[in-house]
Amino acid sequence: MKRRQLLTTTAATTAAAAFGAPAIAQAPKKIAFLTWNLVHLESHIKAWIASFTATRPGVEVEWIDKKGPELPAYYQTQLAASTPPDVIDIQGALGLEYAGQGALLDLSSRLGAEGAIKSRFDQDYLSNWVFEGKNYMVPYYVSKTLLFWNKTRFKEVGLDKAPTSFDEILAAADKIKGGEKTGLLTLNFDWLYWPLLQMSGVDLLSPDLKTATFNTAKAAEMITKLAEATKSGAINPISWTGRWVEPNEAFATGNVGMLHAHAPAYFWIKGKGPWINGDTLGAAHVPGNWATPNSHGLGISKGSKNPDLAWDFVKHMTDNDVADKFSRTASVLTGNKFVDKAQLDRLQKEDPLAFQVLKTQFEHTDKMCGNWRLGNDSRVKDGFWPEFQSAVLGRKDAKTALADAERRVTRELRRA
């Protein structure tokens, strides 16, 4: 280095020490937090953000909330612009798709280095966001499917307990149908109906996720039975044409025997159905204890400019204090084992029916299905669902629909 350069560098360093760091280094650290339809919790989320920034002078957190249909498009737009929100709240397998696209930060090493953080989560729910051996998200709020049953409708036909097999479900539904009554409803989005197939051994893919395995005689038999029950009125056709509002509202009328849905449906139908109480509504696992999870997780965008700060924020939003407040305020289970145990203990005393519903969410979590770790989940779903829907609505016979679905799914698997 020449003497003139050395003097210039020394002078600049001395000036920085005397007058403070350059303005760009003093700029506040800022992260953005994207949530999925939580605007109704605005005051609470802002308070939790404030408690985070209060102990970190110069840190800012921008909160962005988008409705479910809008969030994926918004996030993709931000990814394309290289300005993704630092922390994102994502539902279901969409997090795996983003991981597959390289959009999310691998959290495995962080979780491995902080055993106390990793151990706060229910490990079966945590594993739902493992893609190719790496964990990309942590639980934010969690749920899985169960069978709600209308005890009044059951009693009218001489039944007093939840079905214990697929055929018993259909038999009960057939007894209950008639007039304005139907026997069974199911939610269908995000593979939530899959336990109806899994309970008889039908799985979508091979263990290595490379081969379609659902085109079997057993699958054809079950789908044929579902189609016949739908045609007869034992299964309400809204099961295959509705999404969230329609099936839940139909069950809330009190004219349906069973609803196969995930736990949050309880709070919806309770608010709409004045008939619902501990004497009239039952909650049970489906036969075989199978369930499809439909949880929300928190992840960090790989493009975050402040990944360490983003990780601190994720830990803050899932710690015992904030998670407990979130659980109480939003009536959710968080995947934080300690918080959820406290929530269930409270409900057992204060709301026994809610307790009966929510305790199922931490039973048989090793029997979760419909949660294949696919980076192309939506495309595989789009290959299977339209054909399955056509079959159960009687537009195609089961064998033809399964063959067509197999071709479409196989094509997507080859593209992966």
Side-chain angles (χ1 to χ4, degrees):
M1 182 180 290
K2 295 181 180 179
R3 183 173 181 276
R4 181 181 296 276
Q5 291 174 313
L6 178 60
L7 289 173
T8 301
T9 302
T10 302
T13 303
T14 303
F19 300 107
I24 190 170
Q26 294 179 337
K29 285 189 175 181
K30 184 176 181 178
I31 58 172
F33 176 37
L34 174 64
T35 56
W36 185 300
N37 204 26
L38 294 181
V39 69
H40 59 291
L41 299 179
E42 180 177 2
S43 62
H44 302 282
I45 291 176
K46 286 184 175 179
W48 301 330
I49 290 173
S51 67
F52 178 76
T53 57
T55 59
R56 296 165 176 82
V59 167
E60 295 180 9
V61 177
E62 177 188 8
W63 175 45
I64 306 163
D65 187 79
K66 296 292 180 181
K67 294 180 180 179
E70 300 171 359
L71 189 146
Y74 172 82
Y75 188 60
Q76 291 287 0
T77 299
Q78 298 305 305
L79 286 173
S82 299
T83 56
D86 301 82
V87 178
I88 62 169
D89 155 24
I90 293 294
Q91 180 182 19
L94 192 53
L96 297 176
E97 295 202 39
Y98 290 145
Q101 294 174 20
L104 296 183
L105 189 69
D106 174 15
L107 303 180
S108 304
S109 61
R110 296 174 186 268
L111 288 167
E114 299 188 60
I117 302 301
K118 183 175 182 179
S119 64
R120 76 170 45 150
F121 301 111
D122 179 283
Q123 297 302 294
D124 286 328
Y125 279 110
L126 178 64
S127 70
N128 275 304
W129 292 289
V130 171
F131 180 69
E132 296 183 349
K134 299 175 181 178
N135 201 305
Y136 287 88
M137 304 187 82
V138 301
Y140 188 33
Y141 53 108
V142 301
S143 68
K144 64 188 182 79
T145 53
L146 70 152
L147 187 70
F148 298 95
W149 55 290
N150 186 323
K151 294 180 179 180
T152 303
R153 299 285 82 85
F154 269 54
K155 186 177 180 179
E156 289 173 347
V157 297
L159 300 173
D160 61 359
K161 61 181 180 179
T164 59
S165 70
F166 178 79
D167 286 337
E168 282 190 17
I169 289 175
L170 295 188
D174 191 63
K175 286 184 177 182
I176 293 168
K177 74 177 185 186
E180 295 182 354
K181 300 172 186 174
T182 51
L184 174 68
L185 278 161
T186 183
L187 302 188
N188 61 61
F189 58 91
D190 293 342
W191 305 107
L192 292 183
Y193 61 92
W194 198 263
L196 298 174
L197 300 176
Q198 190 75 55
M199 68 177 69
S200 293
V202 177
D203 206 347
L204 183 77
L205 302 173
S206 58
D208 63 5
L209 305 180
K210 294 182 178 180
T211 306
T213 60
F214 58 81
N215 188 7
T216 65
K218 188 63 178 179
E221 175 191 342
M222 296 183 71
I223 292 173
T224 298
K225 288 181 177 180
L226 291 171
E228 291 171 348
T230 303
K231 184 178 181 180
S232 75
I235 295 178
N236 192 314
I238 293 174
S239 297
W240 318 121
T241 59
R243 185 169 173 83
W244 167 257
V245 174
E246 303 91 340
N248 288 335
E249 286 196 340
F251 187 72
T253 65
N255 292 326
V256 181
M258 293 166 282
L259 171 66
H260 178 239
H262 53 333
Y266 166 72
F267 297 99
W268 178 283
I269 61 178
K270 183 182 179 183
K272 299 280 186 176
W275 59 273
I276 292 174
N277 58 57
D279 295 324
T280 59
L281 183 71
H285 299 283
V286 302
N289 301 315
W290 294 104
T292 298
N294 195 257
S295 303
H296 282 245
L298 293 181
I300 299 173
S301 294
K302 195 172 182 178
S304 170
K305 295 178 175 57
N306 293 294
D308 292 336
L309 181 61
W311 174 239
D312 280 346
F313 185 70
V314 168
K315 292 189 291 184
H316 171 77
M317 294 298 288
T318 59
D319 71 16
N320 291 357
D321 179 55
V322 175
D324 181 65
K325 292 173 182 174
F326 183 36
S327 180
R328 290 170 181 260
T329 302
S331 298
V332 296
L333 296 171
T334 65
N336 178 316
K337 297 182 298 184
F338 313 106
V339 168
D340 292 333
K341 182 182 184 305
Q343 172 80 317
L344 290 175
D345 288 345
R346 283 194 302 270
L347 288 173
Q348 190 169 16
K349 299 174 183 177
E350 300 171 5
D351 190 344
L353 181 53
F355 169 74
Q356 290 298 320
V357 171
L358 295 182
K359 76 182 182 69
T360 66
Q361 304 300 281
F362 293 103
E363 297 170 337
H364 308 294
T365 54
D366 61 325
K367 301 296 289 289
M368 288 194 278
C369 63
N371 58 336
W372 306 279
R373 277 53 163 187
L374 295 167
N376 58 343
D377 178 84
S378 62
R379 296 197 301 276
V380 171
K381 190 184 287 113
D382 289 344
F384 183 86
W385 167 249
E387 301 299 335
F388 175 85
Q389 183 188 47
S390 292
V392 293
L393 289 174
R395 299 168 183 163
K396 283 186 178 182
D397 66 88
K399 289 185 178 180
T400 300
L402 284 168
D404 291 344
E406 183 178 32
R407 283 193 289 272
R408 294 176 63 171
V409 170
T410 298
R411 182 170 62 247
E412 293 303 333
L413 294 175
R414 289 173 178 166
R415 289 177 179 174

